Structures are given as C-alpha cells and as structure tokens.
Amino acid sequence: MAVVIGVKFSSTGKVYYFDPDKRVLLKGEKVIVETARGIECGEVALENREVADDSIVQPLRKLIRIATEDDFKRIEENKEKEKKAFVACEKKIAEHKLDMKLVDVEYTFDNSKILFYFTSDGRVDFRELVKDLAGMFRTRIELRQIGVRDEAKLLGGLGICGRPFCCGSFLNGFQPVSIKMAKEQGLSLNPVKISGTCGRLMCCLKYEQEAYSDLLKTTPKVGAIVSVKEGKGVVTDVNLITQKLTIKLDKDPDAAPVICKADEVKVLKDGRISVNRKEIEELKNLEG
C-alpha cells in the first residue's frame, strides 16, 4: 500500500496519483507537481489515502510544493500569453493556407512547451507552421489534431437541454455512442434531435442506455403480439419510462387503440428493435 493524493489538471480531466511527500492536503488545494509534460499546476481532487501498489503507475512522482502567490501570478501571465499565441497562430495558418481550425492554445506551467489544438477534416502538413511558431516563441511547439467532440469539451457551451455540455462539466472521457442506442430509447432518428452541438450523437445516450436496456428486458417492444383483457392485439407504441403501451386490437383494428401498463399484458410474441442498413448509412456520420 502507498499513500497518495489525486490531482487533476482541468475541471473534467482525469485524476493522477502523486506522492504527497508526507504532507496532508485538502481537496481543492492547488499544487505544483512534475508530469510527463513538465512542471504543472493542478488541483487536489482526492485527499491523502492509501491505495494498492498495483493501481499506481510507477514511478510515483512526488509533490513539489503547494502553489504560492507567485505560481498563481504565473498562471495568469500564461493565460495572457495563450491569447496572443492564439492570434499569432491563426495568422500563420492563414499565411500557409492550411485547411485547419485552431481551437485552443495551452502553455505548460513552466513555459517549456506550447500546445496548439486544432480540428481538420483530413491530414494536415503543418511542418512549416511548426517551424514558424518555434521561431516566434523560442520554445517547443506541439500541434495536436482533435475531434469535434474534443472541441466541444474545450470550448464549452449549452446543450439542447439548456444545461452545460456534459463533456465540459462532468464527463472525463468519451464513450462510443451508436444509432441503435437512440432507436432502443424510442427517439426519433432525426439528426437535429439526437445530436449535440458538436454534430455527433449526444453523450447522454450512452450513460442512460443501461436503464433503457433493463427496461427493454421486461417491456414488450413495438410489433409485439400481446393479450390483454380486451383481447389479442399488436403493440404500436411504447413509452419505456412510463411503461405504457399502445395496442391495436385484432378484433377491431379501426377502433381507438387500447392503452395499458406493461405489467397488465401477456406477451405472446415479442417484437424486435433493429436499425436497418439505410438508416445506418444516412446517420453514420453522427457516430464516433
């Protein structure tokens, strides 16, 4: 067992373990630590605790110090430098006529490296751009191509639900989301309704999927043949959340459908949920 603290470097970033060097730290404290990228300022997310040795990525780096006023001043100075670097890089991108969109610029705490994040539809030859930027800033330059979901996470914003983006507020990683999930959750396969601002399927489809999967195990699906007190019929609509079914009776198909709870019917033959090839082709650009 080893005593560690958990440190993260962004509000939704991963938590990394560090040796507290016999100091007791409180959640929320700013600390200076050494990372693979160099010296960085992070925030304590997990207070001192013991963890198993096999859960630690060796070598376990030690805490350098608790952040001081001078450290906070440097962070603010870096933010100003990042703004200027962003403008300078955009100008160079235009000069080289590169098909790329600059999203964000990040200085490492010790100014040993500047990271430029960009999006592009394809591969970009930015070797000349890197040379220009290195000449301007006299430090190591790294350009990272990111996806549109990463762009949304970095920039933030409000989703169609009116709340801040999940990726920018609490999700610390992206999970695969599929068209089948939207289908199983009874959503209209309208790109406007099932995609986020990034243009990809909404992340919430993934972390709500487990609840819908459980409900589907006990709820008749559309197309199921069921028996109710009024007679035999076919399920034409399902509301998984309320567990209400709309059933068209065989004996009087032109009459108003019967609405009843899922636990009030006897399933004679269940239906199936599937996504046909045409739907996949039309919406495949929303996945990933």
Side-chain angles (χ1 to χ4, degrees):
M1 301 290 284
V3 177
V4 302
I5 54 170
V7 178
K8 62 181 181 180
F9 301 96
S10 65
S11 59
T12 57
K14 294 181 180 179
V15 176
Y16 299 90
Y17 288 148
F18 290 88
D19 181 346
D21 196 21
K22 299 180 181 179
R23 300 188 187 188
V24 177
L25 295 151
L26 301 175
K27 186 176 181 179
E29 282 192 283
K30 299 290 186 179
V31 293
I32 306 300
V33 293
E34 184 182 358
T35 71
R37 297 198 322 177
I39 306 299
E40 293 286 351
C41 181
E43 180 180 307
V44 176
L46 299 174
E47 298 177 358
N48 298 58
R49 63 190 60 200
E50 287 190 343
V51 298
D53 292 330
D54 58 6
S55 65
I56 298 172
V57 177
Q58 298 292 349
L60 183 63
R61 299 174 190 260
K62 283 189 176 183
L63 168 76
I64 295 176
R65 64 177 179 273
I66 297 174
T68 64
E69 287 300 321
D70 287 340
D71 293 327
F72 294 137
K73 183 178 179 181
R74 171 175 279 195
I75 291 170
E76 292 304 315
E77 290 173 350
N78 285 349
K79 288 181 180 178
E80 291 302 314
K81 290 179 181 178
E82 288 166 357
K83 293 177 184 178
K84 294 177 181 178
F86 191 98
V87 174
C89 185
E90 281 197 315
K91 289 180 179 178
K92 287 297 179 182
I93 290 172
E95 287 178 16
H96 289 285
K97 298 180 180 179
L98 296 174
D99 183 19
M100 57 192 288
K101 175 188 174 185
L102 186 63
V103 175
D104 194 24
V105 177
E106 180 185 359
Y107 267 77
T108 56
F109 177 78
D110 58 2
N111 286 189
S112 62
K113 184 192 296 184
I114 311 175
L115 296 99
F116 295 86
Y117 299 92
F118 71 94
T119 58
S120 177
D121 291 334
R123 293 177 62 86
V124 180
D125 184 356
F126 49 68
R127 286 173 293 183
E128 293 302 317
L129 174 63
V130 171
K131 289 180 183 178
D132 286 353
L133 294 175
M136 291 174 62
F137 298 107
R138 300 295 178 182
T139 189
R140 290 175 60 197
I141 301 295
E142 184 174 326
L143 268 72
R144 290 187 181 179
Q145 185 169 355
I146 60 175
V148 290
R149 297 175 83 187
D150 297 292
E151 179 185 8
K153 182 182 179 73
L154 281 172
L155 299 180
L158 297 178
I160 59 174
C161 58
R163 297 178 62 83
F165 293 160
C166 297
C167 60
S169 55
F170 66 89
L171 289 181
N172 58 15
F174 293 109
Q175 297 292 324
V177 188
S178 67
I179 296 298
K180 187 179 179 182
M181 291 179 186
K183 191 90 168 183
E184 289 181 345
Q185 293 176 29
L187 300 175
S188 166
L189 297 187
N190 181 334
V192 176
K193 294 184 178 180
I194 60 177
S195 59
T197 307
C198 62
R200 298 294 184 267
L201 291 172
M202 295 185 292
C203 293
C204 55
L205 295 179
K206 174 64 178 180
Y207 56 78
E208 290 179 356
Q209 180 63 17
E210 187 176 344
Y212 279 97
S213 295
D214 286 340
L215 289 171
L216 283 169
K217 293 176 184 176
T218 57
T219 308
K221 303 169 186 64
V222 171
I225 300 173
V226 297
S227 175
V228 292
K229 62 181 181 180
E230 291 86 355
K232 183 180 173 183
V234 178
V235 176
T236 58
D237 188 54
V238 177
N239 187 316
L240 285 172
I241 301 300
T242 63
Q243 288 287 281
K244 288 186 177 179
L245 311 176
T246 301
I247 302 168
K248 182 171 69 173
L249 296 175
D250 292 349
K251 66 180 182 182
D252 196 354
D254 295 326
V258 173
I259 298 176
C260 60
K261 299 283 284 186
D263 57 6
E264 297 173 348
V265 308
K266 179 181 180 182
V267 180
L268 303 178
K269 182 181 179 182
D270 204 358
R272 293 182 61 189
I273 294 178
S274 60
V275 184
N276 62 48
R277 188 177 298 275
K278 183 180 179 181
E279 288 174 326
I280 293 176
E281 286 298 318
E282 290 177 348
L283 302 171
K284 66 180 181 181
N285 63 322
L286 298 182
E287 297 184 333

